[in-house]
PDB file of all heavy atoms in Angstrom:
ATOM      1  N   ALA A  25       0.833  -1.208   0.000  1.00 93.00           N
ATOM      2  CA  ALA A  25       0.000   0.000   0.000  1.00 93.00           C
ATOM      3  C   ALA A  25       0.867   1.259   0.000  1.00 93.00           C
ATOM      4  O   ALA A  25       0.581   2.219  -0.722  1.00 93.00           O
ATOM      5  CB  ALA A  25      -0.940  -0.008   1.202  1.00 93.00           C
ATOM      6  N   VAL A  26       1.936   1.261   0.774  1.00 94.00           N
ATOM      7  CA  VAL A  26       2.828   2.417   0.831  1.00 94.00           C
ATOM      8  C   VAL A  26       3.565   2.579  -0.505  1.00 94.00           C
ATOM      9  O   VAL A  26       3.774   3.700  -0.978  1.00 94.00           O
ATOM     10  CB  VAL A  26       3.799   2.297   2.025  1.00 94.00           C
ATOM     11  CG1 VAL A  26       4.849   3.393   2.000  1.00 94.00           C
ATOM     12  CG2 VAL A  26       3.032   2.351   3.344  1.00 94.00           C
ATOM     13  N   ALA A  27       3.930   1.472  -1.134  1.00 93.00           N
ATOM     14  CA  ALA A  27       4.575   1.536  -2.451  1.00 93.00           C
ATOM     15  C   ALA A  27       3.623   2.125  -3.493  1.00 93.00           C
ATOM     16  O   ALA A  27       4.043   2.878  -4.377  1.00 93.00           O
ATOM     17  CB  ALA A  27       5.041   0.151  -2.884  1.00 93.00           C
ATOM     18  N   TYR A  28       2.343   1.806  -3.385  1.00 93.00           N
ATOM     19  CA  TYR A  28       1.342   2.395  -4.279  1.00 93.00           C
ATOM     20  C   TYR A  28       1.305   3.914  -4.091  1.00 93.00           C
ATOM     21  O   TYR A  28       1.269   4.672  -5.057  1.00 93.00           O
ATOM     22  CB  TYR A  28      -0.034   1.788  -4.026  1.00 93.00           C
ATOM     23  CG  TYR A  28      -1.110   2.372  -4.917  1.00 93.00           C
ATOM     24  CD1 TYR A  28      -1.368   1.828  -6.167  1.00 93.00           C
ATOM     25  CD2 TYR A  28      -1.848   3.483  -4.510  1.00 93.00           C
ATOM     26  CE1 TYR A  28      -2.342   2.372  -6.996  1.00 93.00           C
ATOM     27  CE2 TYR A  28      -2.818   4.031  -5.323  1.00 93.00           C
ATOM     28  CZ  TYR A  28      -3.068   3.471  -6.567  1.00 93.00           C
ATOM     29  OH  TYR A  28      -4.012   4.026  -7.381  1.00 93.00           O
ATOM     30  N   LEU A  29       1.319   4.342  -2.817  1.00 93.00           N
ATOM     31  CA  LEU A  29       1.338   5.781  -2.546  1.00 93.00           C
ATOM     32  C   LEU A  29       2.582   6.435  -3.135  1.00 93.00           C
ATOM     33  O   LEU A  29       2.518   7.544  -3.672  1.00 93.00           O
ATOM     34  CB  LEU A  29       1.286   6.058  -1.044  1.00 93.00           C
ATOM     35  CG  LEU A  29      -0.028   5.813  -0.326  1.00 93.00           C
ATOM     36  CD1 LEU A  29       0.120   6.166   1.146  1.00 93.00           C
ATOM     37  CD2 LEU A  29      -1.161   6.588  -0.944  1.00 93.00           C
ATOM     38  N   LYS A  30       3.715   5.746  -3.036  1.00 93.00           N
ATOM     39  CA  LYS A  30       4.960   6.301  -3.578  1.00 93.00           C
ATOM     40  C   LYS A  30       4.835   6.543  -5.075  1.00 93.00           C
ATOM     41  O   LYS A  30       5.319   7.543  -5.598  1.00 93.00           O
ATOM     42  CB  LYS A  30       6.125   5.357  -3.293  1.00 93.00           C
ATOM     43  CG  LYS A  30       7.459   5.891  -3.751  1.00 93.00           C
ATOM     44  CD  LYS A  30       8.584   4.942  -3.392  1.00 93.00           C
ATOM     45  CE  LYS A  30       9.929   5.514  -3.813  1.00 93.00           C
ATOM     46  NZ  LYS A  30      11.022   4.605  -3.447  1.00 93.00           N
ATOM     47  N   ALA A  31       4.156   5.636  -5.770  1.00 93.00           N
ATOM     48  CA  ALA A  31       4.024   5.751  -7.217  1.00 93.00           C
ATOM     49  C   ALA A  31       2.954   6.746  -7.637  1.00 93.00           C
ATOM     50  O   ALA A  31       3.115   7.444  -8.641  1.00 93.00           O
ATOM     51  CB  ALA A  31       3.720   4.376  -7.812  1.00 93.00           C
ATOM     52  N   TYR A  32       1.850   6.838  -6.885  1.00 93.00           N
ATOM     53  CA  TYR A  32       0.698   7.600  -7.354  1.00 93.00           C
ATOM     54  C   TYR A  32       0.276   8.773  -6.476  1.00 93.00           C
ATOM     55  O   TYR A  32      -0.569   9.565  -6.881  1.00 93.00           O
ATOM     56  CB  TYR A  32      -0.509   6.670  -7.542  1.00 93.00           C
ATOM     57  CG  TYR A  32      -0.256   5.626  -8.592  1.00 93.00           C
ATOM     58  CD1 TYR A  32       0.001   4.313  -8.246  1.00 93.00           C
ATOM     59  CD2 TYR A  32      -0.269   5.972  -9.936  1.00 93.00           C
ATOM     60  CE1 TYR A  32       0.240   3.359  -9.215  1.00 93.00           C
ATOM     61  CE2 TYR A  32      -0.027   5.022 -10.913  1.00 93.00           C
ATOM     62  CZ  TYR A  32       0.226   3.720 -10.551  1.00 93.00           C
ATOM     63  OH  TYR A  32       0.477   2.780 -11.503  1.00 93.00           O
ATOM     64  N   ASP A  33       0.793   8.868  -5.272  1.00 91.00           N
ATOM     65  CA  ASP A  33       0.379   9.944  -4.361  1.00 91.00           C
ATOM     66  C   ASP A  33       1.574  10.320  -3.494  1.00 91.00           C
ATOM     67  O   ASP A  33       1.650   9.973  -2.309  1.00 91.00           O
ATOM     68  CB  ASP A  33      -0.799   9.458  -3.515  1.00 91.00           C
ATOM     69  CG  ASP A  33      -1.465  10.570  -2.723  1.00 91.00           C
ATOM     70  OD1 ASP A  33      -0.952  11.707  -2.740  1.00 91.00           O
ATOM     71  OD2 ASP A  33      -2.484  10.299  -2.083  1.00 91.00           O
ATOM     72  N   ASN A  34       2.512  11.053  -4.084  1.00 91.00           N
ATOM     73  CA  ASN A  34       3.795  11.310  -3.445  1.00 91.00           C
ATOM     74  C   ASN A  34       3.679  12.074  -2.126  1.00 91.00           C
ATOM     75  O   ASN A  34       4.426  11.799  -1.192  1.00 91.00           O
ATOM     76  CB  ASN A  34       4.719  12.050  -4.415  1.00 91.00           C
ATOM     77  CG  ASN A  34       6.162  11.970  -3.987  1.00 91.00           C
ATOM     78  OD1 ASN A  34       6.567  11.022  -3.349  1.00 91.00           O
ATOM     79  ND2 ASN A  34       6.930  12.976  -4.338  1.00 91.00           N
ATOM     80  N   GLN A  35       2.754  13.015  -2.011  1.00 89.00           N
ATOM     81  CA  GLN A  35       2.640  13.771  -0.766  1.00 89.00           C
ATOM     82  C   GLN A  35       2.226  12.875   0.396  1.00 89.00           C
ATOM     83  O   GLN A  35       2.827  12.921   1.470  1.00 89.00           O
ATOM     84  CB  GLN A  35       1.653  14.926  -0.892  1.00 89.00           C
ATOM     85  CG  GLN A  35       1.558  15.716   0.399  1.00 89.00           C
ATOM     86  CD  GLN A  35       0.659  16.935   0.310  1.00 89.00           C
ATOM     87  OE1 GLN A  35       0.267  17.337  -0.770  1.00 89.00           O
ATOM     88  NE2 GLN A  35       0.350  17.511   1.448  1.00 89.00           N
ATOM     89  N   ASN A  36       1.221  12.029   0.195  1.00 93.00           N
ATOM     90  CA  ASN A  36       0.810  11.117   1.265  1.00 93.00           C
ATOM     91  C   ASN A  36       1.903  10.104   1.575  1.00 93.00           C
ATOM     92  O   ASN A  36       2.092   9.730   2.734  1.00 93.00           O
ATOM     93  CB  ASN A  36      -0.497  10.417   0.898  1.00 93.00           C
ATOM     94  CG  ASN A  36      -1.702  11.311   1.098  1.00 93.00           C
ATOM     95  OD1 ASN A  36      -1.667  12.239   1.885  1.00 93.00           O
ATOM     96  ND2 ASN A  36      -2.766  11.043   0.370  1.00 93.00           N
ATOM     97  N   TYR A  37       2.630   9.675   0.561  1.00 95.00           N
ATOM     98  CA  TYR A  37       3.765   8.766   0.793  1.00 95.00           C
ATOM     99  C   TYR A  37       4.806   9.440   1.693  1.00 95.00           C
ATOM    100  O   TYR A  37       5.276   8.829   2.659  1.00 95.00           O
ATOM    101  CB  TYR A  37       4.400   8.353  -0.539  1.00 95.00           C
ATOM    102  CG  TYR A  37       5.753   7.731  -0.363  1.00 95.00           C
ATOM    103  CD1 TYR A  37       5.888   6.442   0.157  1.00 95.00           C
ATOM    104  CD2 TYR A  37       6.918   8.429  -0.681  1.00 95.00           C
ATOM    105  CE1 TYR A  37       7.135   5.873   0.351  1.00 95.00           C
ATOM    106  CE2 TYR A  37       8.161   7.864  -0.503  1.00 95.00           C
ATOM    107  CZ  TYR A  37       8.269   6.588   0.011  1.00 95.00           C
ATOM    108  OH  TYR A  37       9.501   6.035   0.203  1.00 95.00           O
ATOM    109  N   ARG A  38       5.153  10.685   1.395  1.00 92.00           N
ATOM    110  CA  ARG A  38       6.154  11.380   2.209  1.00 92.00           C
ATOM    111  C   ARG A  38       5.682  11.558   3.645  1.00 92.00           C
ATOM    112  O   ARG A  38       6.471  11.434   4.584  1.00 92.00           O
ATOM    113  CB  ARG A  38       6.504  12.731   1.599  1.00 92.00           C
ATOM    114  CG  ARG A  38       7.418  12.613   0.385  1.00 92.00           C
ATOM    115  CD  ARG A  38       7.908  13.939  -0.099  1.00 92.00           C
ATOM    116  NE  ARG A  38       6.761  14.726  -0.544  1.00 92.00           N
ATOM    117  CZ  ARG A  38       6.699  16.050  -0.516  1.00 92.00           C
ATOM    118  NH1 ARG A  38       7.693  16.751  -0.080  1.00 92.00           N
ATOM    119  NH2 ARG A  38       5.622  16.676  -0.946  1.00 92.00           N
ATOM    120  N   LEU A  39       4.384  11.853   3.821  1.00 93.00           N
ATOM    121  CA  LEU A  39       3.849  11.998   5.175  1.00 93.00           C
ATOM    122  C   LEU A  39       3.989  10.701   5.964  1.00 93.00           C
ATOM    123  O   LEU A  39       4.441  10.705   7.109  1.00 93.00           O
ATOM    124  CB  LEU A  39       2.385  12.425   5.121  1.00 93.00           C
ATOM    125  CG  LEU A  39       2.118  13.855   4.670  1.00 93.00           C
ATOM    126  CD1 LEU A  39       0.636  14.051   4.398  1.00 93.00           C
ATOM    127  CD2 LEU A  39       2.599  14.838   5.715  1.00 93.00           C
ATOM    128  N   ILE A  40       3.591   9.579   5.355  1.00 95.00           N
ATOM    129  CA  ILE A  40       3.690   8.272   6.023  1.00 95.00           C
ATOM    130  C   ILE A  40       5.143   7.932   6.311  1.00 95.00           C
ATOM    131  O   ILE A  40       5.494   7.482   7.404  1.00 95.00           O
ATOM    132  CB  ILE A  40       3.020   7.170   5.160  1.00 95.00           C
ATOM    133  CG1 ILE A  40       1.513   7.415   5.021  1.00 95.00           C
ATOM    134  CG2 ILE A  40       3.309   5.778   5.713  1.00 95.00           C
ATOM    135  CD1 ILE A  40       0.720   7.285   6.303  1.00 95.00           C
ATOM    136  N   LYS A  41       6.013   8.151   5.336  1.00 94.00           N
ATOM    137  CA  LYS A  41       7.431   7.818   5.501  1.00 94.00           C
ATOM    138  C   LYS A  41       8.062   8.634   6.622  1.00 94.00           C
ATOM    139  O   LYS A  41       8.734   8.077   7.492  1.00 94.00           O
ATOM    140  CB  LYS A  41       8.172   8.064   4.183  1.00 94.00           C
ATOM    141  CG  LYS A  41       9.655   7.765   4.253  1.00 94.00           C
ATOM    142  CD  LYS A  41      10.347   8.028   2.943  1.00 94.00           C
ATOM    143  CE  LYS A  41      10.647   9.502   2.813  1.00 94.00           C
ATOM    144  NZ  LYS A  41      11.533   9.833   1.694  1.00 94.00           N
ATOM    145  N   LEU A  42       7.828   9.949   6.619  1.00 93.00           N
ATOM    146  CA  LEU A  42       8.450  10.794   7.635  1.00 93.00           C
ATOM    147  C   LEU A  42       7.887  10.517   9.025  1.00 93.00           C
ATOM    148  O   LEU A  42       8.629  10.520  10.009  1.00 93.00           O
ATOM    149  CB  LEU A  42       8.283  12.270   7.269  1.00 93.00           C
ATOM    150  CG  LEU A  42       9.058  12.730   6.035  1.00 93.00           C
ATOM    151  CD1 LEU A  42       8.686  14.166   5.679  1.00 93.00           C
ATOM    152  CD2 LEU A  42      10.552  12.605   6.246  1.00 93.00           C
ATOM    153  N   LYS A  43       6.589  10.274   9.114  1.00 94.00           N
ATOM    154  CA  LYS A  43       5.961  10.049  10.420  1.00 94.00           C
ATOM    155  C   LYS A  43       6.308   8.678  10.994  1.00 94.00           C
ATOM    156  O   LYS A  43       6.694   8.558  12.159  1.00 94.00           O
ATOM    157  CB  LYS A  43       4.426  10.216  10.294  1.00 94.00           C
ATOM    158  CG  LYS A  43       3.675   9.948  11.572  1.00 94.00           C
ATOM    159  CD  LYS A  43       3.943  11.007  12.599  1.00 94.00           C
ATOM    160  CE  LYS A  43       3.173  10.730  13.877  1.00 94.00           C
ATOM    161  NZ  LYS A  43       3.812  11.313  15.032  1.00 94.00           N
ATOM    162  N   TYR A  44       6.171   7.628  10.188  1.00 94.00           N
ATOM    163  CA  TYR A  44       6.277   6.278  10.742  1.00 94.00           C
ATOM    164  C   TYR A  44       7.622   5.603  10.500  1.00 94.00           C
ATOM    165  O   TYR A  44       8.014   4.731  11.270  1.00 94.00           O
ATOM    166  CB  TYR A  44       5.144   5.411  10.202  1.00 94.00           C
ATOM    167  CG  TYR A  44       3.821   5.871  10.738  1.00 94.00           C
ATOM    168  CD1 TYR A  44       2.940   6.610   9.962  1.00 94.00           C
ATOM    169  CD2 TYR A  44       3.467   5.618  12.055  1.00 94.00           C
ATOM    170  CE1 TYR A  44       1.737   7.057  10.471  1.00 94.00           C
ATOM    171  CE2 TYR A  44       2.277   6.074  12.575  1.00 94.00           C
ATOM    172  CZ  TYR A  44       1.415   6.790  11.783  1.00 94.00           C
ATOM    173  OH  TYR A  44       0.236   7.250  12.300  1.00 94.00           O
ATOM    174  N   LEU A  45       8.335   5.981   9.469  1.00 92.00           N
ATOM    175  CA  LEU A  45       9.634   5.356   9.229  1.00 92.00           C
ATOM    176  C   LEU A  45      10.754   6.144   9.891  1.00 92.00           C
ATOM    177  O   LEU A  45      11.648   5.575  10.490  1.00 92.00           O
ATOM    178  CB  LEU A  45       9.872   5.235   7.719  1.00 92.00           C
ATOM    179  CG  LEU A  45      11.049   4.378   7.282  1.00 92.00           C
ATOM    180  CD1 LEU A  45      10.912   2.959   7.832  1.00 92.00           C
ATOM    181  CD2 LEU A  45      11.130   4.334   5.776  1.00 92.00           C
ATOM    182  N   TYR A  46      10.678   7.484   9.807  1.00 92.00           N
ATOM    183  CA  TYR A  46      11.713   8.322  10.396  1.00 92.00           C
ATOM    184  C   TYR A  46      11.345   8.858  11.774  1.00 92.00           C
ATOM    185  O   TYR A  46      12.164   9.465  12.438  1.00 92.00           O
ATOM    186  CB  TYR A  46      12.057   9.484   9.471  1.00 92.00           C
ATOM    187  CG  TYR A  46      12.722   9.042   8.187  1.00 92.00           C
ATOM    188  CD1 TYR A  46      12.306   9.540   6.968  1.00 92.00           C
ATOM    189  CD2 TYR A  46      13.758   8.125   8.185  1.00 92.00           C
ATOM    190  CE1 TYR A  46      12.910   9.145   5.790  1.00 92.00           C
ATOM    191  CE2 TYR A  46      14.360   7.711   7.022  1.00 92.00           C
ATOM    192  CZ  TYR A  46      13.943   8.228   5.822  1.00 92.00           C
ATOM    193  OH  TYR A  46      14.533   7.838   4.654  1.00 92.00           O
ATOM    194  N   GLY A  47      10.098   8.698  12.193  1.00 92.00           N
ATOM    195  CA  GLY A  47       9.701   9.074  13.551  1.00 92.00           C
ATOM    196  C   GLY A  47       9.538  10.566  13.785  1.00 92.00           C
ATOM    197  O   GLY A  47       9.728  11.038  14.899  1.00 92.00           O
ATOM    198  N   TYR A  48       9.192  11.334  12.754  1.00 92.00           N
ATOM    199  CA  TYR A  48       8.980  12.774  12.931  1.00 92.00           C
ATOM    200  C   TYR A  48       7.767  13.017  13.824  1.00 92.00           C
ATOM    201  O   TYR A  48       6.754  12.355  13.703  1.00 92.00           O
ATOM    202  CB  TYR A  48       8.701  13.446  11.586  1.00 92.00           C
ATOM    203  CG  TYR A  48       9.920  13.840  10.777  1.00 92.00           C
ATOM    204  CD1 TYR A  48      11.078  13.082  10.786  1.00 92.00           C
ATOM    205  CD2 TYR A  48       9.893  14.972   9.990  1.00 92.00           C
ATOM    206  CE1 TYR A  48      12.175  13.440  10.033  1.00 92.00           C
ATOM    207  CE2 TYR A  48      10.986  15.337   9.230  1.00 92.00           C
ATOM    208  CZ  TYR A  48      12.121  14.573   9.255  1.00 92.00           C
ATOM    209  OH  TYR A  48      13.200  14.934   8.501  1.00 92.00           O
ATOM    210  N   SER A  49       7.872  14.008  14.694  1.00 92.00           N
ATOM    211  CA  SER A  49       6.720  14.463  15.466  1.00 92.00           C
ATOM    212  C   SER A  49       5.853  15.323  14.551  1.00 92.00           C
ATOM    213  O   SER A  49       6.294  15.761  13.488  1.00 92.00           O
ATOM    214  CB  SER A  49       7.185  15.280  16.672  1.00 92.00           C
ATOM    215  OG  SER A  49       7.805  16.480  16.227  1.00 92.00           O
ATOM    216  N   TYR A  50       4.611  15.604  14.965  1.00 92.00           N
ATOM    217  CA  TYR A  50       3.742  16.457  14.159  1.00 92.00           C
ATOM    218  C   TYR A  50       4.332  17.860  14.013  1.00 92.00           C
ATOM    219  O   TYR A  50       4.241  18.480  12.956  1.00 92.00           O
ATOM    220  CB  TYR A  50       2.334  16.534  14.750  1.00 92.00           C
ATOM    221  CG  TYR A  50       1.558  15.245  14.609  1.00 92.00           C
ATOM    222  CD1 TYR A  50       1.145  14.536  15.721  1.00 92.00           C
ATOM    223  CD2 TYR A  50       1.249  14.738  13.352  1.00 92.00           C
ATOM    224  CE1 TYR A  50       0.432  13.360  15.598  1.00 92.00           C
ATOM    225  CE2 TYR A  50       0.542  13.565  13.211  1.00 92.00           C
ATOM    226  CZ  TYR A  50       0.137  12.871  14.333  1.00 92.00           C
ATOM    227  OH  TYR A  50      -0.552  11.698  14.194  1.00 92.00           O
ATOM    228  N   GLN A  51       4.960  18.354  15.068  1.00 90.00           N
ATOM    229  CA  GLN A  51       5.548  19.687  15.019  1.00 90.00           C
ATOM    230  C   GLN A  51       6.705  19.735  14.026  1.00 90.00           C
ATOM    231  O   GLN A  51       6.785  20.645  13.194  1.00 90.00           O
ATOM    232  CB  GLN A  51       6.028  20.092  16.414  1.00 90.00           C
ATOM    233  CG  GLN A  51       6.601  21.496  16.468  1.00 90.00           C
ATOM    234  CD  GLN A  51       7.042  21.875  17.871  1.00 90.00           C
ATOM    235  OE1 GLN A  51       7.085  21.044  18.761  1.00 90.00           O
ATOM    236  NE2 GLN A  51       7.371  23.138  18.065  1.00 90.00           N
ATOM    237  N   ARG A  52       7.568  18.744  14.084  1.00 91.00           N
ATOM    238  CA  ARG A  52       8.699  18.715  13.153  1.00 91.00           C
ATOM    239  C   ARG A  52       8.223  18.492  11.721  1.00 91.00           C
ATOM    240  O   ARG A  52       8.754  19.079  10.779  1.00 91.00           O
ATOM    241  CB  ARG A  52       9.671  17.614  13.553  1.00 91.00           C
ATOM    242  CG  ARG A  52      10.887  17.601  12.665  1.00 91.00           C
ATOM    243  CD  ARG A  52      11.995  16.796  13.229  1.00 91.00           C
ATOM    244  NE  ARG A  52      13.135  16.874  12.345  1.00 91.00           N
ATOM    245  CZ  ARG A  52      14.132  16.047  12.379  1.00 91.00           C
ATOM    246  NH1 ARG A  52      14.145  15.083  13.271  1.00 91.00           N
ATOM    247  NH2 ARG A  52      15.126  16.163  11.545  1.00 91.00           N
ATOM    248  N   LEU A  53       7.211  17.662  11.563  1.00 90.00           N
ATOM    249  CA  LEU A  53       6.644  17.424  10.239  1.00 90.00           C
ATOM    250  C   LEU A  53       6.025  18.703   9.680  1.00 90.00           C
ATOM    251  O   LEU A  53       6.175  19.014   8.489  1.00 90.00           O
ATOM    252  CB  LEU A  53       5.608  16.301  10.331  1.00 90.00           C
ATOM    253  CG  LEU A  53       5.139  15.641   9.057  1.00 90.00           C
ATOM    254  CD1 LEU A  53       6.290  15.144   8.213  1.00 90.00           C
ATOM    255  CD2 LEU A  53       4.225  14.479   9.393  1.00 90.00           C
ATOM    256  N   ALA A  54       5.360  19.475  10.530  1.00 86.00           N
ATOM    257  CA  ALA A  54       4.780  20.750  10.094  1.00 86.00           C
ATOM    258  C   ALA A  54       5.871  21.722   9.654  1.00 86.00           C
ATOM    259  O   ALA A  54       5.720  22.417   8.638  1.00 86.00           O
ATOM    260  CB  ALA A  54       3.944  21.354  11.219  1.00 86.00           C
ATOM    261  N   GLN A  55       6.974  21.764  10.379  1.00 86.00           N
ATOM    262  CA  GLN A  55       8.094  22.623   9.984  1.00 86.00           C
ATOM    263  C   GLN A  55       8.648  22.188   8.633  1.00 86.00           C
ATOM    264  O   GLN A  55       8.945  23.016   7.768  1.00 86.00           O
ATOM    265  CB  GLN A  55       9.199  22.580  11.037  1.00 86.00           C
ATOM    266  CG  GLN A  55       8.851  23.249  12.334  1.00 86.00           C
ATOM    267  CD  GLN A  55       9.889  22.998  13.410  1.00 86.00           C
ATOM    268  OE1 GLN A  55      10.786  22.174  13.258  1.00 86.00           O
ATOM    269  NE2 GLN A  55       9.762  23.709  14.522  1.00 86.00           N
TER     270      GLN A  55
END
């Protein structure tokens, strides 16, 4: 599912990757 997002919905893919793979907080993600 995440690979599908990477191919077709790059913004949502980046959000998932930064939040759950890299562990960004909401504040850091907003920055």
Side-chain angles (χ1 to χ4, degrees):
V26 173
Y28 179 88
L29 288 181
K30 183 178 182 179
Y32 297 105
D33 191 354
N34 198 29
Q35 181 176 348
N36 282 336
Y37 165 73
R38 284 188 297 151
L39 289 169
I40 295 294
K41 179 180 82 169
L42 292 173
K43 178 69 180 154
Y44 292 103
L45 191 57
Y46 293 133
Y48 275 35
S49 66
Y50 289 117
Q51 183 179 10
R52 183 165 182 197
L53 195 53
Q55 290 171 350

